């Protein structure tokens, strides 16, 4: 019996060693086949993997430069591109402190980014992941950002231009992707949520749109990033944030939906519908028009409105200690504060958050 037990132990041990060996072999085969292991890309790959940015950007070679098989000066040079050559690039990589761009036309290969410039960039280096251009036909912008400032503003541009502040580690470069008429922007690539929680830095995002651009929707999902939007017309804006504030200057928005813990909202312009769900965030709105619906659910955040002198409103408050105050003449009717025709329906649910309405 003892001998049989020893034989079984030896057999199990041999089987375990074989299984571990097969597992290691499989992981190494995946590394060799895909050029990546644990999310680390082999920069020396002869073909550029998909970076998630589908933009194809035209550029011009500003000085004679070799076209290399890999993003390294000592790799095989396939051809020489003379200055003035028009090329199409799809991505960029930072290798040992040097920027490289991947070309798909008139040939394929890698070229130092410093040898290129965008056709309308005024001589600045071509950037793909760090900055990109997209069609002005885009109608929806979806932003997934962690911390820093987010600016969405009109400018004297013919396309939508996206850029971010400098990032020292290429691992944390933003990723942009166009899907039909939707532009999706993410804080960085190949990074898990656990990694993002430990980040010791923040970076700013800037989105420039043509002066006459108007969008169907803008959606922002952020942790502590601050949003700034100026001089834009957008049908629908959705904001989901923890603590970052949101500011809208001279904007025309049909529907604004905010879900936040403590991110205050400042709005100036025209707004038809506002829905705010928060813990302690406050809302201050200076409006050129009379909105038809405002719904706010908060613990301690207050609502402060500046409305036209002839505005009519009807306010219903479900609160423990929140107060109502208005410089416009109002009356109490069926548990509501009513002014004029009561066109603006305001529902406030809070513990201590109050409502203040003033004449603009």
């Amino acid at each position: 019996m003892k001998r049989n037990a020893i034989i079984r132990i030896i057999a199990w041990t041999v089987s375990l060693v074989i299984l571990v060996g097969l597992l290691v072999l499989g992981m190494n085969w995946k590394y060799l086949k895909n050029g990546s292991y644990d999310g680390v890309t082999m920069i020396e790959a002869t073909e550029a993997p998909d970076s998630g940015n589908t933009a194809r950007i035209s550029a011009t070679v500003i000085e004679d430069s070799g076209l290399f098989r890999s993003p390294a000066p000592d790799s095989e040079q396939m051809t020489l591109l003379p200055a003035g050559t028009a090329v199409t690039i799809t991505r960029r990589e930072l290798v040992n402190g040097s920027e490289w761009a991947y070309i798909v036309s008139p040939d394929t290969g890698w070229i130092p980014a410093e040898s290129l410039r965008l056709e309308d960039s005024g001589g600045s280096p071509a950037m793909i992941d760090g900055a990109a251009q997209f069609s002005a036909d885009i109608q929806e912008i979806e932003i997934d950002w962690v911390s820093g400032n987010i600016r969405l503003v009109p400018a004297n541009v013919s396309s939508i231009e996206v850029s971010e502040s400098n990032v020292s580690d290429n691992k944390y470069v933003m990723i942009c992707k166009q899907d039909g008429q939707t532009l999706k922007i993410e804080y960085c690539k190949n990074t898990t949520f656990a990694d993002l929680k430990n980040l010791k830095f923040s970076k700013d995002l800037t989105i420039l749109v043509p002066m006459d651009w108007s969008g169907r929707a803008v959606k922002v999902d952020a942790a502590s990033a601050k949003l700034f939007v100026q001089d834009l017309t957008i049908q629908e804006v959705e904001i989901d944030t923890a603590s970052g504030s949101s500011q809208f200057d001279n904007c025309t928005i049909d529907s604004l939906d905010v879900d936040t813990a403590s991110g205050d909202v400042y709005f100036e312009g025209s707004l038809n519908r506002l829905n705010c769900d928060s813990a302690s965030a406050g809302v201050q709105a200076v409006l050129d028009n009379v909105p038809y619906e405002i719904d706010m659910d908060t613990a301690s955040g207050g609502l402060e409105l500046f409305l036209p002198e002839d505005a009519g409103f009807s306010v219903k408050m479900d609160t423990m200690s929140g107060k109502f105050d208005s410089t416009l003449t109002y009356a109490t009717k069926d548990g509501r504060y009513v002014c004029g025709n009561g066109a603006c329906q305001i529902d406030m649910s809070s513990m201590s958050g109050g409502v203040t309405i003033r004449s603009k």
Side-chain angles (χ1 to χ4, degrees):
M1 295 293 293
K2 182 176 181 180
R3 180 180 179 183
N4 291 336
I6 294 175
I7 292 174
R8 286 197 299 271
I9 292 174
I10 294 174
W12 291 340
T13 302
V14 172
S15 299
L16 180 60
V17 171
I18 293 174
L19 289 174
V20 172
L22 291 174
L23 178 61
V24 172
L25 178 61
M27 293 175 66
N28 287 334
W29 167 248
K30 180 180 179 181
Y31 171 75
L32 293 172
K33 180 180 180 182
N34 296 334
S36 61
Y37 185 67
D38 287 342
V40 179
T41 301
M42 289 181 64
I43 299 300
E44 291 74 21
T46 57
E47 295 183 1
D50 182 10
S51 68
N53 184 352
T54 59
R56 299 171 68 89
I57 299 179
S58 297
T60 302
V61 179
I62 58 177
E63 60 182 11
D64 294 352
S65 177
L67 187 64
F68 298 89
R69 184 173 298 276
S70 301
D74 57 353
S75 67
E76 178 186 352
Q77 179 176 319
M78 297 180 293
T79 186
L80 179 68
L81 296 178
T85 302
V87 299
T88 302
I89 53 181
T90 59
R91 71 173 305 204
R92 179 194 59 141
E93 286 292 351
L94 186 64
V95 183
N96 297 326
S98 299
E99 294 179 359
W100 290 78
Y102 187 73
I103 294 177
V104 295
S105 175
D107 206 337
T108 58
W110 294 90
I111 186 173
E114 63 183 9
S115 300
L116 302 173
R117 72 163 178 262
L118 299 179
E119 292 181 351
D120 59 351
S121 65
S124 60
M127 303 283 284
I128 300 301
D129 290 327
Q133 294 178 320
F134 297 90
S135 169
D137 293 334
I138 285 174
Q139 285 294 298
E140 296 188 14
I141 300 177
E142 298 180 1
I143 304 169
D144 190 349
W145 211 252
V146 179
S147 60
N149 298 315
I150 302 173
R151 296 179 66 249
L152 175 58
V153 295
N156 188 23
V157 295
S158 58
S159 60
I160 294 178
E161 298 184 3
V162 184
S163 61
E164 65 179 352
S165 55
N166 292 333
V167 181
S168 58
D169 190 339
N170 196 48
K171 177 181 179 181
Y172 300 117
V173 170
M174 73 174 177
I175 187 169
C176 303
K177 182 177 181 180
Q178 182 175 348
D179 183 6
Q181 290 188 315
T182 300
L183 173 59
K184 299 180 180 180
I185 304 171
E186 297 181 16
Y187 194 75
C188 59
K189 57 185 178 180
N190 299 331
T191 306
T192 65
F193 180 73
D195 295 330
L196 295 179
K197 290 194 300 183
N198 298 320
L199 288 180
K200 302 300 182 181
F201 71 95
S202 64
K203 57 181 182 177
D204 298 336
L205 171 67
T206 300
I207 306 171
L208 303 180
V209 299
M211 299 295 292
D212 59 351
W213 183 83
S214 61
R216 182 167 56 241
V218 171
K219 301 178 181 179
V220 180
D221 191 348
S224 58
K226 297 181 179 179
L227 174 66
F228 175 72
V229 183
Q230 179 181 357
D231 298 328
L232 289 181
T233 298
I234 306 169
Q235 294 180 22
E236 179 183 356
V237 176
E238 294 182 11
I239 301 172
D240 190 344
T241 182
S243 59
S245 61
S246 301
Q247 181 172 341
F248 299 85
D249 287 349
N250 193 32
C251 291
T252 299
I253 296 177
D254 183 59
S255 176
L256 175 59
D257 195 328
V258 180
D259 188 346
T260 181
S262 58
D264 292 334
V265 178
Y266 305 93
F267 189 96
E268 187 270 321
S270 296
L271 178 66
N272 286 327
R273 190 186 73 83
L274 168 66
N275 182 75
C276 182
D277 190 351
S278 76
S280 59
V283 174
Q284 182 185 79
V286 181
L287 302 177
D288 298 328
N289 70 318
V290 180
Y292 59 81
E293 181 182 355
I294 296 178
D295 192 343
M296 189 165 179
D297 190 343
T298 180
S300 59
L303 172 64
E304 184 177 15
L305 295 177
F306 292 83
L307 300 176
E309 292 183 358
D310 58 350
F313 59 78
S314 177
V315 180
K316 179 181 180 181
M317 296 185 64
D318 183 5
T319 179
M320 293 182 62
S321 59
K323 305 297 183 181
F324 174 79
D325 181 49
S326 176
T327 58
L328 298 176
T329 302
Y330 66 91
T332 304
K333 182 178 180 181
D334 298 330
R336 303 181 72 99
Y337 303 98
V338 181
C339 172
N341 60 7
C344 178
Q345 298 289 315
I346 302 174
D347 286 335
M348 179 68 162
S349 178
S350 72
M351 293 184 64
S352 59
V355 175
T356 300
I357 300 178
R358 311 222 179 267
S359 174
K360 182 179 176 181

